[in-house]
Amino acid sequence: MTDAAYDALVVGAGHNGLTCAAYLARSGRKVLVLEAGERPGGLAATREFADGFRVSAAAHLLNMLSPEVAKDLALERQGLAYAARNLKTVVLPGDGRQLAIDGDRLEGASASDQAAFTVFQRQMQRFAKVLNRFCMRPFPRLTERRGRDNWLLAKLAWDVRTLGKANMRELLRIGAINIHDVAEEKFDSPLLKAALGMDAVLGSHMGPRSPNTVYAYLHRHLNDGGQGPALVRGGMGALGDAFAAAAEAAGATIRYGARISSIDLTDCRTAGVTLADGSAIAAPVVASNADLKSTFRLVGPLNLDAGFVRRVHNFRARGVTAKLHLALDGLPEFPGLDPADAGSRLLAATTMDGIEGAFNHAKYGECSPLPVMEISIPSVHDASLAPPGKHVLSAVAQYAPYALKAGWQAGREPFMRSCLERLEAIAPGIGEQVTAAELLTPPDLEAEFGLRGGHWHHGEIALDQALFTRPIPGANHYATPVPGLYLCGASAHPGGGLLGLAGRNAAKTILAGEAAS
Amino acid sequence: MTPHDDRMLLDTPFGSRVQAACELREWEPWKGYASPIAYEDMELEYFAVRNATGVFDLTPMTKYRIGGPDAAAFLNRLMTRDVGKIRPGRVGYAVWCNDAGMVLDDGTLFHLSRGDYRLCAQERCLDWLLTSALGLDLTIVDETAEVAALAVQGPTSCAALRAMGLEGLEALRPFGLRHYPFDGGELMVSRTGFTGDLGYEVWVAPAHAEALWDALFAAGRNHLIRPMGNAALELARIEAGFIQAGVDFVPAEQVVRHGRARSPFELGLDWLVDFDKGHFTGRGALLRERAEGSRFRFLRLDVEGNKPASESFILNKRGETVGHATSAAWCPSAKRNVALASLEMPWGRPEDELYAEIYTSRELRWTRVEARCRIIDGPIWDPPRRRQTPAPNF
């Protein structure tokens, strides 16, 4: 490496950027993380939206974190603590019925559904385990196929082969199709099918009938080992803090309030970055935790091949997910739900068709009049989030398209109303309890977190943008066409979710590239 | 825009005059327009362009108008050469590549005035231009149908155009531009062409096209002016050693089979690639090619005898196929049997003995010869008048 003050710069202090910084720093590299905001964590953030009411601003449940990353970074020693683990999922259609999923146990389903679900869960866990192995190491380059690529490809084939003939056939059968068909084929309970459908479409511009939703489902369950999600004590921002502490403990420096205005090149190679205040920082390596489109805007189209810019442009990243935050002056009542379960992961959905119907509107640039929601009331488990006796509700609400035809100026209130109506149906009287409300639309998420298109996963998790094609050919192995510039965020393989693997794999790629040059 | 959905081939704005002159009625389609293969006699037309003046209707050439704040940066990133060196009022020959460094097309870039350009190309490439414009501030307009053009080429071309009233044209340098009032409108004249000789291209709005044709042929009568078709132009361009998209290489966007596209290096266009000007599309791939070596070599060959080596295999001393001719013709003025050929590496080194396998038929009797080929270094047809300023008055 050169005599620049830093060996590597990381653009953005999201959890992946911090992971990448930590691994690089652990290997003795001088690393500077540049964060436009004032706090670490990116989408792992806690936000006070009303006096004394705090909530996870984006992701609110943790189920994907890579155990290896958590161990390598010693996140628990850096302050990561859980308010609750292995939360139940309860589907609340709003008519008094309910169905709960607790690990591989169902409550409120027939014996035959229970039997089928046990088999399904076991099989999905096996597939997720194989997929997880794909995510722990770089994907082989299929066209170049150098020595290491052949080795990786052989390992990959072996991993699939070890599933056994029947499982392998099943994976190949359902891997690229939609969750609707698979759920219809296996289960009777509409609520169970709705729960599976929700898992497959959360955060995506997809309905349960969209192709590849089985893959999206598997992606979501990559690391949960069949367990329910966890709640981070202090909100997701505490996870961001733990990642930041881990990066700093490894020797990386984090600078906040440092917005980058360009990634600079010298002789078509990465030379460093320029900040919004005009100051330049030199480094031969830049790892970008920013999304694909933002990253290459910083590079500028004139420094890139036209065909590559077209691919960046066409990367599918249309956010459809909004975040609803409510300050409540009491714990809402959900008819039929044991009050002890009010802190579970609650799903406001009725049937897969209901989810698909909600998605139809998004296709045409409209919000769903009957949105589907993933709801959490974290204050049930973590009293620090709300004043005594009060509660805070956090809901991931779909579908709220980024490019709303009517515009978000006009669309915000109606969508908020639709969400509250849906909540009122499953928790009558909740409207009376609301003392403050906040809706973060995809454009808000774009502005707040710098996500172009406001997509939670930086871009759709679908097979054309996954594995060895994530995010796009030409930038699909962390390295990009610009020597010295790497992707280390959710835009890179394995994609969105609080995993930490993109950051870890990018760091390994950077270190391997250094060794090779 | 050019109407693409009409089922009849279109006439250019010179159509009435072209039809009247085209005795042979032999047309071929050229980008949706009917274009004469020859008017009266292909050989007479060829000898006119080499010894007097040939006039060629090049209206069907694809023309894009490119302007706006980022136009110069856009073009410099699009093309492999340093476009910044083409000053206002000048024209430059250029190629452009895809990300893989494979040639999409070649053409001429007219720098009409600061930041205002016209790109003239064989192939339509609006999609690629718009792709290249992503994130930049500029406008691209297809003006193929809005600009009529005649190539006026040959030793007496300058005299003929001056006789038409274009005073001072002799002072125009090669690849320069000039504007003249004409017929209540304006003519743009560029000293450019596809014949490798003294010659001009005259650009005009369609409304003045017929007036231009009439004035030019009236003024040029004493300069032995004559319209020429595609066949004569094809012979003249092979003699000049110019390559043609779709003939000597397949434009990369049209290639279906792996490995059939060509890089600028593989077309002998190294001089058009400037690695020092900053980034351009294909730069990374071409740098790799320069380091790792090209797959093909493009050569101009002097083939023994007078049988054109059209579509011939090129053989080495042991009779193995090492390439093929992409264009070939007996060139009467250069008095050489020229073949343009693409050879697999490493063949085509100075020491290699090469042969063209030529099949000819005389009254249904086929003969096969292996004609010795010699590599032509330097131009084939390059009369001094091509470069002289002031242009000589023949």
Side-chain angles (χ1 to χ4, degrees):
Chain A
M1 287 203 163
T2 66
D3 53 1
Y6 295 99
D7 296 321
L9 304 176
V10 176
V11 180
H15 79 288
N16 271 314
L18 294 167
T19 304
C20 183
Y23 278 97
L24 289 175
R26 269 179 13 156
S27 299
R29 303 302 180 277
K30 277 206 66 155
V31 184
L32 175 65
V33 183
L34 295 161
E35 167 59 42
E38 296 301 330
R39 296 199 57 80
L43 287 165
T46 303
R47 164 189 189 89
E48 183 164 331
F49 68 101
D51 216 12
F53 291 89
R54 297 190 307 138
V55 68
S56 299
H60 59 179
L61 295 167
L62 188 65
N63 65 328
M64 293 176 71
L65 184 64
S66 158
E68 178 175 322
V69 170
K71 187 166 134 260
D72 284 353
L73 268 52
L75 290 178
E76 302 206 9
R77 206 174 339 124
Q78 302 300 344
L80 173 63
Y82 296 101
R85 301 186 87 149
N86 199 8
L87 292 176
K88 266 200 232 180
T89 291
V90 185
V91 192
L92 295 170
D95 54 12
R97 288 179 300 152
Q98 60 162 290
L99 177 132
I101 304 172
D102 188 3
D104 62 358
R105 260 183 341 99
L106 300 178
E107 296 162 17
S110 67
S112 68
D113 267 354
Q114 173 66 68
F117 187 68
T118 308
V119 173
F120 178 74
Q121 273 283 66
R122 202 175 301 144
Q123 194 162 45
M124 287 296 138
Q125 281 307 313
R126 293 200 63 173
F127 295 164
K129 218 160 125 191
V130 170
L131 188 62
N132 190 33
R133 270 181 243 149
F134 294 2
C135 298
M136 291 296 289
R137 52 184 185 235
F139 229 80
R141 290 165 196 266
L142 298 182
T143 43
E144 287 101 329
R145 290 272 288 280
R146 308 221 168 95
R148 187 173 135 78
D149 294 312
N150 286 329
W151 167 239
L152 288 170
L153 195 62
K155 282 200 350 186
L156 197 152
W158 176 249
D159 288 339
V160 176
R161 196 68 196 84
T162 52
L163 283 170
K165 201 169 180 176
N167 279 322
M168 183 173 81
R169 194 177 288 164
E170 181 68 359
L171 176 61
L172 296 177
R173 184 178 76 90
I174 69 171
I177 65 172
N178 68 72
I179 193 79
H180 174 274
D181 289 359
V182 173
E184 280 294 339
E185 174 183 294
K186 294 183 189 294
F187 306 110
D188 293 324
S189 161
L191 299 185
L192 175 58
K193 288 186 278 193
L196 301 179
M198 286 292 280
D199 275 4
V201 302
L202 274 172
S204 296
H205 183 86
M206 293 185 190
R209 281 195 175 87
S210 302
N212 299 185
T213 33
V214 171
Y215 179 79
Y217 178 90
L218 279 172
H219 176 79
R220 186 180 171 82
H221 291 284
L222 209 52
N223 276 318
D224 66 9
Q227 305 275 298
L231 265 181
V232 174
R233 184 167 297 286
M236 214 51 108
L239 178 69
D241 291 338
F243 271 104
E248 283 174 332
T253 310
I254 307 172
R255 194 188 294 173
Y256 297 100
R259 185 172 291 280
I260 288 166
S261 61
S262 64
I263 294 172
D264 303 327
L265 314 185
T266 301
D267 194 21
C268 304
R269 299 184 64 89
T270 303
V273 302
T274 299
L275 302 182
D277 66 12
S279 60
I281 305 171
V285 168
V286 171
S288 177
N289 191 184
D291 67 277
L292 179 75
K293 294 182 194 216
S294 301
T295 300
F296 288 102
R297 257 167 92 93
L298 292 173
V299 175
L302 291 173
N303 290 313
L304 299 162
D305 286 356
F308 182 78
V309 172
R310 172 164 58 188
R311 285 185 181 143
V312 171
H313 179 79
N314 291 349
F315 181 56
R316 291 183 296 117
R318 292 172 292 176
V320 287
T321 306
K323 193 71 196 305
L324 178 70
H325 301 145
L326 300 179
L328 304 169
D329 63 8
L331 187 65
E333 269 182 51
F334 299 89
L337 184 72
D338 183 345
D341 283 342
S344 304
R345 171 177 181 250
L346 308 176
L347 297 179
T350 341
T351 60
M352 283 195 293
D353 277 350
I355 306 171
E356 188 74 29
F359 172 54
N360 281 344
H361 295 272
K363 285 191 251 177
Y364 306 107
E366 298 155 12
C367 284
S368 314
L370 196 60
V372 292
M373 282 184 269
E374 180 192 68
I375 303 157
S376 162
I377 306 179
S379 46
V380 171
H381 302 285
D382 185 349
S384 73
L385 298 175
K390 310 209 186 267
H391 284 280
V392 60
L393 180 146
S394 162
V396 175
Q398 285 183 195
Y399 293 81
Y402 172 79
L404 191 63
K405 222 167 29 189
W408 274 105
Q409 191 92 35
R412 179 182 294 274
E413 279 312 307
F415 187 66
M416 169 89 95
R417 219 175 311 120
S418 303
C419 291
L420 290 172
E421 277 166 21
R422 178 110 212 189
L423 284 172
E424 193 69 34
I426 60 172
I430 193 171
E432 303 288 301
Q433 296 175 297
V434 176
T435 56
E438 174 188 62
L439 182 73
L440 295 179
T441 65
D444 294 334
L445 293 167
E446 179 181 70
E448 178 93 20
F449 300 108
L451 285 173
R452 297 266 309 157
H455 197 292
W456 284 42
H457 301 317
H458 285 198
E460 296 298 339
I461 309 275
L463 285 176
D464 61 322
Q465 299 192 157
L467 304 171
F468 53 90
T469 50
R470 187 160 187 91
I472 52 169
N476 49 343
H477 295 86
Y478 308 101
T480 69
V482 180
L485 177 63
Y486 295 83
L487 293 175
C488 71
S491 289
H493 172 65
L498 297 169
L499 291 100
L501 287 177
R504 166 192 174 273
N505 293 354
K508 287 185 185 277
T509 302
I510 292 166
L511 295 169
E514 236 178 75
S517 64
Chain B
M1 278 300 293
T2 312
H4 298 284
D5 47 353
D6 290 13
R7 292 170 67 195
M8 291 279 281
L9 288 178
L10 303 169
D11 283 322
T12 74
F14 302 106
S16 60
R17 306 303 190 264
V18 171
Q19 284 183 23
C22 188
E23 293 182 5
L24 294 176
R25 310 245 137 222
E26 279 192 275
W27 309 92
E28 66 184 5
W30 179 17
K31 298 288 167 199
Y33 287 91
S35 184
I37 297 170
Y39 285 80
E40 293 170 68
D41 182 297
M42 175 268 188
E43 290 183 5
L44 283 179
E45 290 163 25
Y46 164 79
F47 282 106
V49 80
R50 283 292 180 242
N51 299 296
T53 292
V55 176
F56 180 80
D57 178 3
L58 58 84
T59 307
M61 282 287 282
T62 309
K63 300 178 267 313
Y64 297 104
R65 190 66 168 264
I66 298 167
D70 289 339
F74 160 85
L75 288 164
N76 217 24
R77 191 273 216 110
L78 175 75
M79 293 168 167
T80 59
R81 66 174 283 179
D82 188 351
V83 172
K85 289 183 179 159
I86 305 172
R87 294 188 311 281
R90 300 286 299 162
V91 185
Y93 173 64
V95 292
W96 47 101
C97 295
N98 64 12
D99 291 19
M102 295 295 137
V103 175
L104 291 164
D105 201 359
D106 62 345
T108 41
L109 181 66
F110 293 70
H111 196 169
L112 304 175
S113 62
R114 185 161 298 284
D116 183 15
Y117 296 87
R118 177 178 296 151
L119 177 60
C120 245
Q122 176 63 20
E123 300 300 322
R124 303 230 188 279
C125 56
L126 188 59
D127 177 58
W128 185 253
L129 296 182
L130 292 175
T131 292
S132 299
L134 283 172
L136 302 177
D137 184 7
L138 70 152
T139 55
I140 302 168
V141 177
D142 182 344
E143 57 175 15
T144 302
E146 278 76 58
V147 181
L150 293 178
V152 184
Q153 306 274 309
T156 65
S157 57
C158 184
L161 286 165
R162 282 165 64 193
M164 197 182 85
L166 307 189
E167 274 175 41
L169 185 63
E170 70 280 3
L172 185 62
R173 289 190 299 134
F175 292 103
L177 282 180
R178 259 195 186 207
H179 297 264
Y180 290 93
F182 177 78
D183 188 34
E186 193 190 61
L187 285 184
M188 185 178 86
V189 184
S190 56
R191 190 169 165 185
T192 49
F194 205 38
T195 60
D197 206 319
L198 174 62
Y200 301 86
E201 288 168 330
V202 186
W203 313 80
V204 72
H208 306 292
E210 290 175 342
L212 169 62
W213 181 284
D214 296 343
L216 178 62
F217 280 89
R221 193 172 301 127
N222 291 337
H223 303 282
L224 304 178
I225 197 166
R226 124 172 265 136
M228 67 190 278
N230 293 326
L233 182 71
E234 172 72 358
L235 178 52
R237 76 96 189 162
I238 294 172
E239 187 165 57
F242 294 151
I243 59 168
Q244 167 91 318
V247 177
D248 298 294
F249 67 94
V250 185
E253 286 279 275
Q254 295 170 22
V255 166
V256 176
R257 295 166 186 83
H258 184 71
R260 304 292 164 89
R262 294 289 187 272
S263 76
F265 300 135
E266 292 167 346
L267 292 173
L269 300 173
D270 312 34
W271 61 281
L272 282 176
V273 181
D274 184 350
F275 287 119
D276 300 324
K277 68 162 184 166
H279 189 78
F280 58 87
T281 298
R283 184 180 189 271
L286 291 174
L287 273 175
R288 265 195 304 285
E289 180 181 336
R290 190 174 68 168
E292 293 168 11
S294 301
R295 304 160 302 164
F296 302 96
R297 195 196 307 273
F298 196 81
L299 292 176
R300 291 165 179 80
L301 300 174
D302 185 352
V303 183
E304 203 169 50
N306 60 5
K307 306 277 184 294
S310 307
E311 300 180 343
S312 291
F313 282 121
I314 306 296
L315 312 176
N316 66 11
K317 198 163 68 178
R318 293 203 296 268
E320 296 158 340
T321 302
V322 296
H324 66 277
T326 55
S327 290
W330 163 256
C331 297
S333 301
K335 297 187 171 41
R336 278 172 145 176
N337 191 25
V338 173
L340 311 186
S342 178
L343 272 67
E344 286 161 29
M345 282 297 191
W347 300 101
R349 294 161 294 196
E351 68 272 23
D352 290 332
E353 250 177 61
L354 300 173
Y355 297 86
E357 187 185 48
I358 303 171
Y359 291 79
T360 48
S361 164
R362 287 274 183 276
E363 296 173 328
L364 296 183
R365 168 155 310 170
W366 283 89
T367 53
R368 171 181 176 275
V369 293
E370 288 182 7
R372 182 70 199 270
C373 301
R374 288 185 174 75
I375 297 165
I376 302 173
D377 226 356
I380 304 162
W381 173 254
D382 192 28
R385 59 178 178 255
R386 177 182 178 186
R387 266 179 269 279
Q388 282 165 355
T389 310
N393 191 18
F394 290 103

